[in-house]
Amino acid sequence: MRIVFANSAWVSAAERLILRGGGWQSVRLRVRYGLIFHPAAGPVLVDTGYTPEALVGKGRGRMLRFYSALLKPELNAAEQVLAVLKRFGLSPDDIRTVVVTHFHADHISGLALFRNARFIASDAAWARVKARSPRQNLRHGVFAELFPADFESRLEGLSAKRRVEAREDAPAGADLFGDGSVLAVDLPGHADGQFGLLFAGLDRPLLYAVDAQWLLAALIQNRTPGFPATLIAEDAAAIEPTGAKLRSFLAAGGEVLLCHDPAPTSHDLAPEAA
Ligand SMILES: [Zn+2]
């Protein structure tokens, strides 16, 4: 099973906002998303990264326009989801599954591009999105206009998936494809319903921990940023236990990949030869 990650955009943030004890200098963060070639499910997207829909789309509400003006993400044209699919000879209609790790804009921006896809996501978190007013959703970092109108009818909830117990070297998870190849691991703290993906069958098990932290150093060196990062967290008290779970996975020999860490990894798509 081939797994690649691509960088949809760059976003800059002062290091001290994302790393306890960090400096004032700005760090250029990636905004990764993944593409899995699953033997039965075919090509599967893991989120969509930033796409023009969240940044310049006409259907955006006032708050989403404000949010993108504030963060100023810089789209990476060469690794936008449609360009990367094309590199693999795929069109958006070839995507039958999009795994949605959580509902923040940089993860769901391009969902509407995939007309034939089912969405694997937290059905519990989706039920809460539906129960909240638009204004309440904004406080949870959810811009409802980014969901396709038929999102719910295409939603395949995590709660229906088989649970796999924790092992000494791997956390518990939900078996996404019924073959143990990809487990959804709960990562509470950052966003409502956030889960990561554990690829346990690789030579070195890999856990894509999405936004459990922005920087790998914050996780490894136990330097979780305080205020104001805690202010935007869904559940600030859960961030440390989630970090501890990831550190024990690392200590058991696993590898952790984050969405936003700037350092290139062996899982990132190689730049296209000029
Ligand atoms: Zn997020």
Side-chain angles (χ1 to χ4, degrees):
M1 197 175 72
R2 185 167 180 203
I3 303 156
V4 293
F5 285 85
N7 179 33
S8 66
W10 301 99
V11 181
S12 295
E15 188 190 55
R16 64 196 306 280
L17 295 179
I18 49 179
L19 183 67
R20 182 155 37 87
W24 283 104
Q25 78 277 13
S26 159
V27 182
R28 207 163 175 240
L29 298 169
R30 291 178 187 243
V31 183
R32 289 184 174 87
Y33 63 95
L35 179 59
I36 305 170
F37 295 90
H38 186 271
V44 172
L45 276 176
V46 180
D47 301 325
T48 68
Y50 268 128
T51 65
E53 282 71 17
L55 305 184
V56 294
K58 289 196 177 66
R60 296 175 308 151
R62 193 168 49 93
M63 287 311 291
L64 181 52
R65 292 198 303 266
F66 174 72
Y67 166 87
S68 41
L70 194 74
L71 282 172
K72 295 191 206 63
E74 187 190 320
L75 294 183
N76 180 14
E79 296 191 24
Q80 276 284 293
V81 65
L82 297 182
V84 167
L85 291 178
K86 206 168 168 190
R87 262 163 89 166
F88 287 97
L90 297 168
S91 85
D93 288 352
D94 294 324
I95 298 296
R96 297 302 179 108
T97 309
V98 182
V99 178
V100 185
T101 62
H102 64 293
F103 299 148
H104 284 164
D106 50 335
H107 299 262
I108 68 165
S109 174
L111 289 187
L113 298 168
F114 303 99
R115 301 177 297 185
N116 295 334
R118 60 178 169 157
F119 301 116
I120 300 182
S122 164
D123 39 334
W126 172 250
R128 288 186 287 269
V129 167
K130 276 204 310 176
R132 292 193 289 251
S133 69
R135 179 185 284 263
Q136 287 170 324
N137 273 324
L138 289 175
R139 267 193 263 123
H140 292 262
V142 175
F143 300 96
E145 64 265 45
L146 292 175
F147 289 99
D150 59 353
F151 180 81
E152 184 165 82
S153 66
R154 295 197 269 152
L155 174 63
E156 198 174 292
L158 274 194
S159 66
K161 305 284 180 190
R162 182 178 70 99
R163 295 291 301 174
V164 175
E165 295 305 310
R167 296 189 321 215
E168 204 168 308
D169 58 348
D175 185 2
L176 292 194
F177 301 110
D179 60 359
S181 63
V182 187
L183 300 187
V185 175
D186 285 338
L187 299 173
H190 170 72
D192 190 7
Q194 179 182 242
F195 60 89
L197 296 181
L198 171 62
F199 304 95
L202 302 183
D203 288 342
R204 186 180 177 201
L206 172 69
L207 207 172
Y208 177 50
V210 204
D211 295 356
Q213 287 288 346
W214 286 275
L215 298 177
L216 207 49
L219 180 69
I220 293 171
Q221 301 164 14
N222 214 341
R223 293 170 68 186
T224 295
F227 181 86
T230 45
L231 188 72
I232 58 164
E234 177 74 20
D235 178 2
I239 288 178
E240 262 322 292
T242 287
K245 174 153 97 172
L246 294 170
R247 279 189 294 275
S248 63
F249 177 74
L250 285 166
E255 178 181 3
V256 168
L257 175 68
L258 297 170
C259 176
H260 299 300
D261 193 88
T265 76
S266 63
H267 303 287
D268 290 312
L269 197 63
E272 208 166 18

